Amino acid sequence: MSNKPNDDGLFPAVDQQLLSLRLKRLVQRAFPLLVVVLVLLFISLLVPRFFHPRNLKNILVQSSTLGLMAIGMTLVYLIGGMDLSIPSVMAVSGIMGAMIMKSGGSPVLGVIITIAAGAVVGAVNGLSVSFLKMIPFVVTLAMMQVMSGISTWVTNSVSIAVPLDYIDIILFKIGELPLPVYLFVTLTIVSTYFCKSTIYGRWLYAIGTNLESSKVCMIPVRKTIFLTYTVSGMFAGLTGVLLTARLGAAGPLMGSSNVILDVMSASVVGGVSIYGGVGSPLGAAVGAVVITVLNNVLNLLRVDFFPAQVIKGVIVIVFVAFDSFGRSHRRQG
Amino acid sequence: MSSTVLKMIGIGKSFPGVRALHNVTFTAYAGEAIALLGANGAGKSTLMNVLGGVIRHDDGKLEIQGKSVEFKNPKDAQAEGIAFVHQEMALLPTMTVMDNMFIADFPKRWGAIINRTEMRNQCTEVLERLGCRISPDNYIKNLGTGDRQMVEIGRALLGNNRIFIFDEPTSSLTKGEKDNLIKVIERLKREGMAIIYITHFLSEVYDICDRVCVLRGGEVAGGGLISEVSMNKLVRMMVGDVKIGDRGSERNTAARKPIFQVDELNRRGVLENINFTLNKGEILGFWGLLGSGRTETARAIMGLDTVDSLKISTWKDDRLTEVSTEFVQHNIGLITEERRVDGLFLPMSVSRNMSMANLRNIRKKHSAVIDRKREAELSREFTDRLNIKITSIEQKVETLSGGNQQKVILGRWLEVNPDILIMDEPTRGLDVSAKAEIARIIVRLAKEGTSIILISSEIEEMMSLCDRFLVFNKGRIISNLEYGVSQEELVGLAAGTADASKRVMA
Ligand SMILES: Nc1ncnc2c1ncn2[C@@H]1O[C@H](COP(=O)(O)OP(=O)(O)OP(=O)(O)O)[C@@H](O)[C@H]1O
Ligand SMILES: [Mg+2]
């Protein structure tokens, strides 16, 4: 079939049909998410307190920290990697920042140190994966171990309080909502645009889709992988900044290992494939809101911690199953 | 007259935006081989995927030995004795040859334990029948394309099959392996099997097949006994009138100006002291058997494999200066031989696949933002120029026919238009007219000053295009020959039977 451009020179005539096809694909991909949202909406109707403005605001604030980590994770998923160390890195960087400020550093220095610490650990992950060719799962799992160790060790399991002016700056309110929510929205938009519209974003998708083909297409594969892990670390650091301010202190519990399940859930519920090459930060951000709502509802319904873990775990499995099912339906031959 | 084994009647199949098959009727007879021919995207693989139970047809019905059948999945088809050698290989690289052959149905002892002795015996027997010398215990990832293809064929020979589908089986086989395959097919025919043979090499059709069926645009364009159809008529049925491109004896005779030089390329056990020079506007042929080091040399130059030593120089400021591999990677295009493994991004669109190496050049000014409009324009320009059969540039590459996938990779590099282009089997899987078109494009590129390294296993293609040949044998360059050398000599040199005394280092 030919594909001559029509009058405006932009879309081929046959695209009419394909447009509906694409719509169908979109619906297909968003379908599981839709189900979850509907279920949550239904449940939340059972919990009247859910719609209380304070609760809704709370959800947004909590989503912002989870969301930023999920965006970092998404970038790593896109290149076909994974980063299990995100929450623990977040805790360690928060602690670093808090320690600096405790010993007299200004809030600005605190913020810089926190983000830089995340970036450094991310860079170590990136170096191991890209240049030393180590397996992401193993590297970041070990890193998670190391980071949890460090955070308990240097703090003696005691939280380190941060100065009030730091909290005031970070949680500065614009209108009804604090700064972190705006930051979350902005970074979601920026990183989604980055992924969808820039060369580097395209490279991420390429590497996650086919590493060998990417090399042949002259994509600087190793450098890109290295930087992606570094950026993921930076997002963890940034989350550390926000969470420390919200909690008023930094401590090892911030990055407890069940946070990683929430981060992964947010990404996969948001349509990001753990096999690489599929998804977007926007999806992960929506996923983060969904997971936060889920946590919130489970909390309001007074579901115990452990059954709640089971429910969330099952959700991840179901979404990953959807993902693999979609993949196995590829044509071959 | 032999008996009818298979009848496909009035088969129709549509994909979104394209009617791949329409009212196709196809018959295969016991003890005969039927060739299924057609241009790229004519619907050959689709028809066979219907027969193999890989996809379901919309209209029509299937009869096997007079009995109407319906296949819901490949297992159903296998149960009816249909063996399918796919166009694109589906082997597990980290497992052994033996495991791959039996993966669908391991021979078992006491119902559950894998019987490895039995497996080994059957595997060895099949490999012998194919006349290829690979060990059953070798890992697939250590095998070249040709050997992999043999494993795939071996798999089809196991078990009780009566219909054999070969979808372009010879596109990556050596001459010897091809001859063996022909013998195997002859034997299968004598045993009363029905063979369906898809290929773009028409001469093979006359060697192997008894009948022919030609598809064109998803419909039957003709067919009959092969003895009653001439090759010209076949080509006309497939693609209409085409001029088969040949460069004739016109060659690049201008004073040679070196633009690229490789020195002391060594990779232990694979490549030994490779040295050569490439001139501006030259088409340099790498000739040799499969596994002689041609592909490996190309990959080494591009920095895709680690090597023990390598020096690369390019022409700069009136002399050859050594450059980094990074420089090479940004200035040389490589069309790889295995399109699905290291060429394409299967789940991505045609447009994205084509722009992937060219992103740096289609940025909006002073930014890293991709100019989507430009991207689409270029994709459209080159899909048109290469006549790629697509419904839109947004179609996913995995849904294209094999030949059209190959054209997408070609288009990608035409878009970049680098000074030096290495093409490893660029016409594999292309139909006659596409091949001719590619040949014309290669010649034109060279005329415009692009230097080309051409690797092809088709001697005619090499003879008709190259200005100069480097003959590879066991990881070394054993000869440097000018255009005009005879076909016999090239073949002999590659096989190591001819005298390589003309050995000159380029
Ligand atoms: N899953 C699919 N979705 C959309 N279109 C498809 C799909 N599978 C095949 N097609 C289209 O059907 C047509 C026939 O493809 P097919 O693979 O049968 O060609 P072919 O004759 O085997 O060509 P080749 O010689 O290049 O291998 C092509 O236009 C192809 O793009
Ligand atoms: Mg095909």
Side-chain angles (χ1 to χ4, degrees):
Chain A
M1 202 166 285
S2 84
N3 51 309
K4 294 274 175 297
N6 60 16
D7 299 347
D8 62 35
L10 258 177
F11 296 103
V14 284
D15 267 12
Q16 205 52 40
Q17 200 177 356
L18 276 130
L19 214 67
S20 68
L21 180 76
R22 244 198 262 173
L23 206 73
K24 222 167 90 189
R25 252 190 228 150
L26 191 77
V27 171
Q28 250 167 19
R29 259 185 59 195
F31 180 71
L33 187 64
L34 217 71
V35 171
V36 171
V37 171
L38 284 179
V39 170
L40 282 177
L41 222 66
F42 179 70
I43 297 178
S44 49
L45 285 177
L46 299 176
V47 198
R49 272 166 304 165
F50 180 82
F51 291 105
H52 195 285
R54 213 177 51 227
N55 190 43
L56 292 179
K57 208 157 73 188
N58 211 357
I59 285 176
L60 276 182
V61 172
Q62 282 173 3
S63 306
S64 61
T65 40
L66 179 59
L68 287 174
M69 286 188 282
I71 291 173
M73 182 67 120
T74 297
L75 299 178
V76 179
Y77 274 151
L78 282 185
I79 58 165
M82 86 161 35
D83 188 352
L84 299 174
S85 68
I86 291 175
S88 55
V89 172
M90 184 257 293
V92 167
S93 6
I95 290 167
M96 294 286 213
M99 280 166 63
I100 291 288
M101 288 186 282
K102 198 178 166 194
S103 58
S106 69
V108 175
L109 186 67
V111 170
I112 292 174
I113 292 292
T114 311
I115 295 177
V120 168
V121 183
V124 173
N125 280 334
L127 218 68
S128 317
V129 173
S130 62
F131 293 95
L132 305 178
K133 302 210 162 67
M134 291 158 78
I135 297 167
F137 177 79
V138 177
V139 170
T140 58
L141 185 68
M143 188 56 87
M144 167 174 129
Q145 203 69 346
V146 171
M147 288 299 125
S148 330
I150 290 180
S151 57
T152 319
W153 184 23
V154 299
T155 58
N156 271 324
S157 299
V158 184
S159 297
I160 303 169
V162 289
L164 282 177
D165 47 349
Y166 172 79
I167 300 177
D168 286 344
I169 297 174
I170 303 297
L171 298 187
F172 179 75
K173 273 201 173 160
I174 306 169
E176 279 296 299
L177 297 164
L179 194 59
V181 176
Y182 296 99
L183 206 59
F184 172 45
V185 172
T186 313
L187 283 175
T188 301
I189 295 169
V190 169
S191 57
T192 305
Y193 182 74
F194 173 86
C195 285
K196 293 290 177 191
S197 297
T198 68
I199 310 182
Y200 311 113
R202 191 67 70 78
W203 286 352
L204 300 185
Y205 287 97
I207 291 171
T209 304
N210 189 334
L211 188 73
E212 289 305 312
S213 300
S214 305
K215 287 185 198 158
V216 172
C217 285
M218 311 198 280
I219 295 170
V221 170
R222 287 200 222 172
K223 228 191 306 192
T224 311
I225 294 177
F226 167 73
L227 286 174
T228 306
Y229 280 92
T230 310
V231 170
S232 165
M234 280 171 70
F235 270 96
L238 181 61
T239 314
V241 171
L242 306 186
L243 197 58
T244 332
R246 205 166 81 214
L247 301 176
L253 279 181
M254 256 165 42
S256 69
S257 59
N258 51 52
V259 177
I260 189 65
L261 184 66
D262 280 357
V263 175
M264 286 172 66
S265 318
S267 311
V268 298
V269 167
V272 179
S273 168
I274 60 168
Y275 300 101
V278 176
S280 76
L282 179 63
V286 174
V289 175
V290 170
I291 294 298
T292 311
V293 169
L294 181 69
N295 280 337
N296 184 268
V297 169
L298 291 173
N299 202 359
L300 292 179
L301 287 174
R302 300 193 194 292
V303 178
D304 281 338
F305 176 75
F306 294 106
Q309 289 293 90
V310 172
I311 292 172
K312 285 195 285 181
V314 168
I315 288 179
V316 173
I317 293 172
V318 168
F319 273 82
V320 173
F322 258 110
D323 188 10
S324 339
F325 183 71
R327 284 166 64 85
S328 65
H329 268 229
R330 293 262 163 77
R331 176 186 125 124
Q332 75 128 144
Chain B
M1 178 92 187
S2 36
S3 66
T4 310
V5 176
L6 164 76
K7 248 191 174 150
M8 301 178 82
I9 305 155
I11 302 291
K13 172 77 193 174
S14 291
F15 294 109
V18 57
R19 195 174 65 179
L21 294 172
H22 177 66
N23 194 18
V24 173
T25 294
F26 180 85
T27 320
Y29 302 90
E32 285 190 6
I34 178 164
L36 181 56
L37 305 179
N40 294 129
K44 305 178 296 293
S45 295
T46 306
L47 186 65
M48 290 303 106
N49 280 334
V50 166
L51 179 56
V54 180
I55 56 174
R56 312 242 358 220
H57 50 283
D58 306 334
D59 310 311
K61 57 180 181 177
L62 269 69
E63 279 177 15
I64 290 190
Q65 280 173 337
K67 192 182 80 190
S68 172
V69 289
E70 206 168 312
F71 300 146
K72 292 198 184 63
N73 53 46
K75 268 231 154 68
D76 290 351
Q78 262 158 32
E80 289 293 335
I82 295 170
F84 198 158
V85 180
H86 284 274
Q87 180 172 16
E88 310 293 352
M89 288 177 270
L91 296 172
L92 305 166
T94 56
M95 295 180 83
T96 63
V97 168
M98 198 159 74
D99 290 334
N100 266 284
M101 276 200 188
F102 288 92
I103 193 85
D105 190 16
F106 284 109
K108 290 184 207 83
R109 242 195 276 253
W110 308 305
I113 317 286
I114 293 174
N115 185 342
R116 298 199 77 86
T117 356
E118 173 68 26
M119 247 168 94
R120 188 178 315 271
N121 289 343
Q122 283 191 35
C123 184
T124 319
E125 187 204 310
V126 163
L127 289 174
E128 248 160 42
R129 239 164 107 189
L130 286 170
C132 73
R133 285 188 308 255
I134 38 179
S135 150
D137 296 303
N138 214 332
Y139 287 93
I140 295 294
K141 60 170 189 246
N142 299 334
L143 299 181
T145 325
D147 286 340
R148 290 184 190 201
Q149 186 83 52
M150 285 323 240
V151 174
E152 189 96 356
I153 294 169
R155 181 149 73 181
L157 294 183
L158 295 167
N160 264 333
N161 296 317
R162 52 189 164 182
I163 299 173
F164 289 82
I165 306 168
F166 292 99
D167 196 349
E168 297 191 38
T170 54
S171 58
S172 48
L173 296 190
T174 63
K175 179 84 173 53
E177 286 167 336
K178 263 183 212 174
D179 292 344
N180 272 319
L181 180 66
I182 293 178
K183 274 191 214 132
V184 171
I185 289 178
E186 285 301 331
R187 185 141 129 210
L188 289 171
K189 285 201 309 201
R190 278 199 302 279
E191 289 168 8
M193 307 291 155
I195 314 286
I196 302 167
Y197 195 87
I198 300 180
T199 187
H200 289 295
F201 299 103
L202 295 182
S203 58
E204 279 177 5
V205 173
Y206 288 87
D207 288 346
I208 298 173
C209 301
D210 308 281
R211 280 169 200 279
V212 58
C213 170
V214 179
L215 291 183
R216 187 165 166 188
E219 298 181 37
V220 178
L225 286 171
I226 195 74
S227 51
E228 290 165 6
V229 214
S230 73
M231 204 182 280
N232 279 337
K233 195 162 161 215
L234 277 184
V235 173
R236 262 205 309 282
M237 270 195 246
M238 279 163 61
V239 291
D241 278 315
V242 282
K243 296 191 296 286
I244 301 300
D246 190 336
R247 207 177 170 189
S249 60
E250 176 203 348
R251 283 295 181 278
N252 179 357
T253 46
R256 282 187 174 152
K257 193 177 132 220
I259 111 158
F260 178 74
Q261 183 167 316
V262 169
D263 289 302
E264 290 162 39
L265 167 55
N266 282 290
R267 183 178 159 203
R268 189 163 315 141
V270 183
L271 296 171
E272 197 187 325
N273 197 25
I274 303 283
N275 300 288
F276 69 89
T277 311
L278 177 67
N279 299 303
K280 190 163 170 51
E282 179 181 49
I283 305 179
L284 176 62
F286 279 11
W287 174 247
L289 300 179
L290 249 107
S292 57
R294 300 170 301 169
T295 298
E296 289 74 7
T297 302
R299 290 182 57 89
I301 294 171
M302 296 300 293
L304 294 173
D305 297 328
T306 38
V307 294
D308 300 318
S309 71
L310 169 63
K311 229 171 75 185
I312 294 174
S313 325
T314 57
W315 190 259
K316 229 173 19 195
D317 311 327
D318 278 343
R319 62 197 174 94
L320 283 166
T321 8
E322 197 175 333
V323 290
S324 65
T325 37
E326 192 130 306
F327 175 88
V328 173
Q329 281 171 21
H330 288 103
N331 291 279
I332 301 184
L334 171 65
I335 293 172
T336 47
E337 103 184 277
E338 284 242 39
R339 56 182 172 240
R340 289 169 82 95
V341 178
D342 50 14
L344 294 169
F345 300 89
L346 288 172
M348 290 194 182
S349 70
V350 170
S351 177
R352 286 189 172 202
N353 268 276
M354 290 184 65
S355 64
M356 200 56 92
N358 198 30
L359 292 176
R360 288 185 186 86
N361 303 324
I362 53 172
R363 283 182 288 193
K364 288 192 182 143
K365 250 193 192 143
H366 308 300
S367 77
V369 178
I370 298 168
D371 186 344
R372 294 255 176 99
K373 208 171 152 196
R374 180 107 186 89
E375 181 180 28
E377 271 167 22
L378 282 171
S379 305
R380 242 174 240 130
E381 181 185 333
F382 286 96
T383 47
D384 275 353
R385 231 165 93 183
L386 291 172
N387 226 334
I388 306 182
K389 196 182 169 211
I390 49 172
T391 47
S392 104
I393 54 168
E394 292 304 322
Q395 190 178 357
K396 290 188 177 189
V397 160
E398 64 192 341
T399 67
L400 295 188
S401 81
N404 284 303
Q405 291 180 348
Q406 183 68 20
K407 289 190 197 172
V408 167
I409 298 187
L410 274 163
R412 174 191 292 164
W413 290 108
L414 294 185
E415 224 181 80
V416 179
N417 195 14
D419 293 338
I420 300 169
L421 191 53
I422 306 177
M423 304 176 144
D424 197 352
E425 306 285 358
T427 60
R428 169 174 299 168
L430 295 189
D431 65 45
V432 264
S433 68
K435 256 182 197 152
E437 180 59 35
I438 301 304
R440 271 196 292 276
I441 289 174
I442 292 177
V443 170
R444 197 183 59 226
L445 283 176
K447 246 189 205 145
E448 287 165 9
T450 310
S451 307
I452 293 166
I453 294 179
L454 181 65
I455 306 176
S456 168
S457 302
E458 279 177 59
I459 185 88
E460 291 82 12
E461 190 169 274
M462 294 291 271
M463 297 290 294
S464 75
L465 290 176
C466 297
D467 295 312
R468 193 156 64 92
F469 302 90
L470 295 180
V471 184
F472 282 70
N473 188 311
K474 301 204 179 79
R476 292 181 310 150
I477 295 178
I478 58 164
S479 245
N480 174 9
L481 301 160
E482 292 294 328
Y483 167 73
V485 59
S486 75
Q487 188 164 325
E488 290 69 35
E489 192 170 2
L490 276 180
V491 172
L493 277 172
T497 52
D499 179 17
S501 62
K502 281 194 199 157
R503 178 169 166 183
V504 198
M505 279 297 90

